[in-house]
Amino acid sequence: MWFLLFTVLFAPILVLFYIEVKNYSKVRQLNKLPGPPALPIIGNAHQMGKTPSALLSQLFKWWVDAGYQNYRVHVGPYRNIIVTDAKDLEYILTSKTMIDKSDVYDMLHPWLGTGLLTSTGRKWYTHRKIITPSFHFKILQNFHEVMNKNSSKFIEILRRVSEKDTIFDFQDMTHYLTMDVICDTAMGVHINAMDNHDNIVVQAFKDMCYNINMRAFHPLKHPESFARFHKSGHKKRIETRKLEAHYTNETPADEFSSKKLAFLDTLLSSTIDGRRLTQEEIYEEVSTFMFEGHDTTTSGVAFTIYLLATHPEIQQKVYAEQEQLLGDNLKGEATFQQIADMQYLDMVIKESLRLYPSVPFVARQTDKDYDISMWSS
Ligand SMILES: *[C@@H]1O[C@H](CO)[C@@H](O)[C@H](O)[C@H]1NC(C)=O
């Protein structure tokens, strides 16, 4: 009994201590970097925000307010360097060897398996080669109608809400639009999220995004084995299974062969070393693209609208371009060509993405030593 208690209480501390000693020289090197004061063992875990937005603003606060450049943050045994210098970022992002994704991405494995976002090495390379053609500009044309129809509906909903003179969450509303579009275009499934916010797929995606953000900087929720026992981990797994059930039961097989489904078609007809992709591989890539395809567009749309709202003079210019291109059909649907001609809008969207990237951080992990500028000053 005492032995058991001792093990339960002290084993984790011993393990942490062991990791600490094993990595002593590297940790010492890391500690030369600036960063918020850290406590023994838990590091900065206690200072991490408790919600995704609090978390992000804490990381920004250290960078912008406290002025730490390329700073270190320890969350329990997880040692992170938040790289803020553009030159160092370029070094890392163009490196041919520093390509292993951080174990932050492991949290996505139960759901996304190892799709493009989470895979590395040869699997990433071969899958990337298969998938790239389905992002050819021309393929977008096939989805023009879906995007147009669903967006018209979205605008109608916005109009109704704005007449009510109540405050609403624009980004949240945008989620439902992008979910509808991605399910329709990548999977050929109509989930009609805009009319059905409680849809099981919609809820699963939302929970997933929230849980990953929070686990990334929470030492107890971080490791997969801990998360399994933790409530949010548990919930996520159930939702994942429901999502899986949705894929397998509710999607009629013949929809897969419809010519509009470029993405799924590509996956189904591709071969790697002479064999077709397994069902699991297809599942991984589809989940990945449903996740990436709607989450990034949601924040892109929401931030662009936010910037237009706070810059009325720019908004006026966007409007003038629409007037000029669409003429009498200002409230109707734009053709594919007309959208391609919206050059000013294109610039506005790109500038918004520059100011507010859709993905707040990317993470890499390495065991190798690198000699880059942050160490030399
Ligand atoms: C989205 O567009 C497609 C194609 O026009 C349509 O079948 C679907 O019902 C639309 N979904 C919503 C929620 O309007």
Side-chain angles (χ1 to χ4, degrees):
M1 176 64 205
W2 284 111
F3 178 71
L4 198 69
L5 199 66
F6 175 84
T7 314
V8 168
L9 282 180
F10 291 103
I13 296 175
L14 282 177
V15 169
L16 289 180
F17 188 71
Y18 170 74
I19 294 171
E20 205 81 353
V21 170
K22 198 171 127 246
N23 293 327
Y24 182 67
S25 71
K26 280 183 182 155
V27 169
R28 240 182 46 172
Q29 181 80 348
L30 272 180
N31 284 342
K32 288 186 191 157
L33 289 175
L39 292 177
I41 299 183
I42 65 165
N44 303 100
H46 61 297
Q47 296 158 312
M48 292 294 166
K50 298 278 181 285
T51 63
S53 63
L55 190 60
L56 202 56
S57 46
Q58 180 62 272
L59 292 176
F60 274 106
K61 229 179 251 165
W62 281 325
W63 174 24
V64 180
D65 299 347
Y68 300 130
Q69 302 292 331
N70 290 337
Y71 63 93
R72 51 116 200 100
V73 168
H74 301 330
V75 181
Y78 300 95
R79 314 271 166 188
N80 308 284
I81 304 173
I82 313 288
V83 180
T84 58
D85 185 274
K87 269 249 149 316
D88 293 329
L89 279 174
E90 188 185 359
Y91 180 92
I92 293 166
L93 293 175
T94 55
S95 165
K96 297 243 176 338
T97 54
M98 216 192 293
I99 53 171
D100 279 343
K101 284 161 189 175
S102 149
D103 55 13
V104 166
Y105 292 83
D106 293 354
M107 297 169 204
L108 290 161
H109 288 179
W111 188 43
L112 302 180
T114 45
L116 263 196
L117 175 67
T118 42
S119 59
T120 49
R122 184 165 158 74
K123 181 167 181 182
W124 177 83
Y125 181 78
T126 51
H127 283 220
R128 170 73 202 243
K129 233 169 97 179
I130 292 174
I131 289 167
T132 300
S134 47
F135 290 96
H136 193 279
F137 188 65
K138 278 213 168 121
I139 281 166
L140 273 181
Q141 215 154 345
N142 297 335
F143 304 139
H144 179 231
E145 189 196 319
V146 177
M147 293 184 189
N148 250 348
K149 288 268 176 307
N150 291 236
S151 303
S152 298
K153 178 169 177 171
F154 178 64
I155 290 168
E156 203 37 59
I157 294 173
L158 280 183
R159 193 167 284 140
R160 255 184 282 141
V161 175
S162 63
E163 277 163 8
K164 276 194 222 145
D165 202 28
T166 49
I167 291 174
F168 62 92
D169 183 338
F170 181 83
Q171 180 160 358
D172 189 58
M173 286 181 64
T174 310
H175 251 125
Y176 303 114
L177 165 68
T178 56
M179 289 279 339
D180 277 340
V181 171
I182 197 69
C183 287
D184 227 294
T185 53
M187 291 290 293
V189 186
H190 308 307
I191 60 165
N192 196 2
M194 281 191 277
D195 288 330
N196 184 11
H197 294 189
D198 297 330
N199 182 294
I200 192 76
V201 181
V202 178
Q203 288 308 320
F205 273 88
K206 279 185 147 182
D207 282 355
M208 196 64 206
C209 299
Y210 182 85
N211 280 322
I212 286 160
N213 274 325
M214 294 320 293
R215 276 184 58 203
F217 291 101
H218 192 302
L220 291 182
K221 292 187 208 168
H222 194 128
E224 191 52 40
S225 48
F226 276 135
R228 273 179 206 170
F229 295 110
H230 195 275
K231 210 171 80 226
S232 63
H234 187 57
K235 186 165 175 215
K236 180 198 75 201
R237 294 168 74 80
I238 294 171
E239 296 294 355
T240 309
R241 221 166 288 143
K242 283 182 187 162
L243 189 67
E244 209 155 347
H246 186 89
Y247 283 169
T248 45
N249 297 338
E250 295 178 29
T251 312
D254 56 323
E255 278 200 68
F256 283 158
S257 54
S258 141
K259 77 170 189 339
K260 258 173 43 185
L261 304 177
F263 177 61
L264 203 51
D265 267 352
T266 309
L267 291 179
L268 289 171
S269 58
S270 297
T271 53
I272 297 175
D273 303 333
R275 65 160 181 88
R276 290 204 182 278
L277 269 72
T278 63
Q279 204 167 359
E280 193 183 336
E281 286 173 319
I282 289 176
Y283 176 76
E284 289 172 345
E285 297 302 356
V286 166
S287 309
T288 297
F289 278 88
M290 289 185 63
F291 166 62
E292 291 186 334
H294 94 284
D295 194 64
T296 51
T297 38
T298 299
S299 62
V301 169
F303 280 126
T304 305
I305 294 293
Y306 164 74
L307 285 168
L308 285 174
T310 49
H311 296 80
E313 70 290 356
I314 305 291
Q315 189 180 139
Q316 196 51 48
K317 281 195 195 170
V318 170
Y319 188 74
E321 184 186 60
Q322 300 283 302
E323 260 185 331
Q324 188 220 326
L325 281 170
L326 300 174
D328 294 338
N329 192 30
L330 196 55
K331 287 195 175 155
E333 287 170 5
T335 63
F336 194 71
Q337 186 54 48
Q338 282 169 329
I339 293 175
D341 289 339
M342 295 174 184
Q343 285 175 10
Y344 190 73
L345 180 64
D346 189 50
M347 291 193 287
V348 167
I349 293 171
K350 283 180 177 150
E351 178 65 357
S352 307
L353 287 172
R354 188 184 70 82
L355 289 169
Y356 296 99
S358 297
V359 179
F361 53 80
V362 294
R364 293 285 178 271
Q365 165 175 299
T366 180
D367 293 329
K368 256 186 71 181
D369 293 332
Y370 288 89
D371 192 8
I372 61 183
S373 78
M374 64 172 113
W375 303 112
S376 55
S377 55

